């Protein structure tokens, strides 16, 4: 009985330690960016409750940006669904690399599946940089404390700032509005370690505005599918010529890690 109480106290201690990650630089940058997201949602005609609901359910800031952008452009439901789904698929390698670092022999699968919802760029960067200092038996609690707190605080922040951004001076509101895409662009480039990701990024940046004129409503979807496919083919050709090994793990390897 005493050992169980000690184990519970240890889990709570690591949970609260993870919560303190809210004051880390990545978390603060993300919170400021969510203020910009509030301005973006307001300017796009998304209600306060809808913006807060998106924060809880979708969580990843780029996916919410894509969804609101496509809704504003008049895209149909299927195109919105596919674009957000494809945007979220990029989280799979993050989950595949983070889960083996978190789990222990007694960690239930359902808990890992639940916590995978909170894996986004900020949470992944912070967790991968700090989990090595946490005992394995406390890592799930540590990440849960950080992820749950980050989502809860940003959801409240979106609701609180939604009405405030409308009363700000136009210049300040514009800066906050611009902060979100800047964070999105900078974070994707900074976390894109593989060459194929950077190639796809450049193709998307160049083709996005052109496709917005040529195929409005499907521009993001076409840029994502087409840009990613072209980037993969370019990277594959470069590797063949230089005889480099592939950075992309087979699906079987990822499944074994999970």
């Amino acid at each position: 009985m005493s050992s169980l109480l000690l184990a519970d106290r240890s889990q709570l201690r690591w949970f609260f330690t993870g919560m303190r990650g809210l004051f880390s630089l990545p978390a603060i940058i993300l919170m400021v960016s969510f203020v910009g997201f509030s301005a973006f949602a307001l300017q796009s005609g998304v209600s306060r409750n809808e913006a807060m609901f998106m924060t809880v359910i979708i969580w990843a800031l780029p996916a919410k940006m894509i969804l609101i952008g496509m809704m504003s452009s008049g895209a149909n439901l299927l195109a919105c669904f596919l674009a957000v789904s494809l945007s979220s698929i990029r989280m799979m390698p993050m989950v595949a690399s983070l889960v083996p670092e978190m789990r222990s022999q007694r960690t239930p699968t359902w808990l890992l599946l639940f916590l995978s919802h909170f894996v986004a760029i900020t949470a992944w960067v912070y967790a991968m940089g700090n989990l090595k200092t946490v005992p394995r038996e406390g890592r799930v609690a540590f990440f849960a404390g950080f992820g749950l707190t980050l989502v809860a605080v940003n959801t409240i922040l979106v609701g609180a700032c939604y009405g405030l951004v409308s009363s700000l001076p136009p210049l300040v509101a514009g800066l906050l509005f611009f902060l979100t895409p800047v964070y999105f662009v900078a974070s994707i480039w900074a976390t894109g370690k593989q060459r194929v990701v950077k190639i796809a990024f450049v193709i998307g940046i160049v083709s996005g505005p052109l496709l917005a004129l040529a195929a409005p409503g499907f521009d993001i979807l076409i840029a994502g599918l087409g840009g990613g496919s072209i980037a993969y083919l370019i990277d594959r050709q470069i590797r063949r010529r230089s005889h480099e090994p592939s950075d992309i793990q087979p699906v079987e390897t990822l499944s074994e890690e999970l």
Side-chain angles (χ1 to χ4, degrees):
M1 185 68 179
S2 60
S3 61
L4 290 176
L5 288 174
L6 288 174
D8 291 340
R9 288 178 182 176
S10 176
Q11 294 298 312
L12 281 175
R13 182 170 65 87
W14 286 115
F15 183 87
F16 289 125
T17 301
M19 290 179 65
R20 289 200 294 269
L22 185 70
F23 302 102
S24 64
L25 182 60
I28 292 173
I29 293 175
L30 182 63
M31 287 188 287
V32 175
S33 298
F34 265 95
V35 177
F37 169 72
S38 299
F40 181 62
L42 177 65
Q43 294 293 329
S44 302
V46 176
S47 70
R48 184 197 307 266
N49 291 336
E50 289 171 340
M52 294 177 69
F53 181 76
M54 286 181 182
T55 304
V56 175
I57 298 300
I58 301 176
W59 176 226
L61 188 56
K64 292 195 290 291
M65 292 287 294
I66 291 172
L67 177 59
I68 293 179
M70 295 197 70
M71 290 168 56
S72 301
S73 66
N76 60 53
L77 183 61
L78 178 59
C80 292
F81 173 80
L82 289 176
V84 174
S85 298
L86 290 171
S87 169
S88 300
I89 287 174
R90 67 192 174 85
M91 303 297 177
M92 187 184 71
M94 297 183 188
V95 175
S97 62
L98 183 59
V99 167
E101 296 293 329
M102 285 199 307
R103 69 176 180 181
S104 64
Q105 294 181 347
R106 296 187 299 175
T107 306
T109 302
W110 67 265
L111 181 57
L112 294 173
L113 292 174
F114 171 71
L115 292 178
S116 67
H117 172 70
F118 304 99
V119 177
I121 292 174
T122 300
W124 183 81
V125 169
Y126 181 80
M128 293 300 288
N130 290 274
L131 281 181
K132 294 179 181 179
T133 63
V134 179
R136 182 164 291 274
E137 61 272 12
R139 292 180 179 181
V140 169
F142 177 85
F143 182 79
F146 179 71
L148 289 169
T149 304
L150 199 61
V151 172
V153 169
N154 279 292
T155 301
I156 295 171
L157 192 64
V158 168
C161 294
Y162 184 88
L164 294 177
V165 292
S166 61
S167 61
L168 293 175
L171 179 60
V172 177
L175 288 173
L176 291 174
F177 177 83
F178 190 64
L179 179 63
T180 304
V182 167
Y183 170 79
F184 169 52
V185 170
S187 60
I188 292 296
W189 182 262
T191 56
K193 303 300 182 183
Q194 298 174 343
R195 180 176 52 211
V196 64
V197 175
K198 294 187 180 292
I199 295 173
F201 183 88
V202 173
I203 294 174
I205 289 292
V206 174
S207 64
L210 299 177
L211 288 170
L213 298 175
F218 289 90
D219 50 330
I220 298 177
L221 181 62
I222 296 173
L225 283 173
S229 300
I230 294 172
Y232 170 76
L233 293 175
I234 293 174
D235 182 70
R236 187 176 180 181
Q237 189 65 27
I238 293 174
R239 292 185 181 281
R240 280 183 175 177
R241 291 182 178 181
S242 58
H243 304 288
E244 294 181 15
S246 177
D247 286 339
I248 302 176
Q249 289 181 296
V251 176
E252 293 80 1
T253 304
L254 293 176
S255 301
E256 290 174 2
E257 291 182 356
L258 286 170

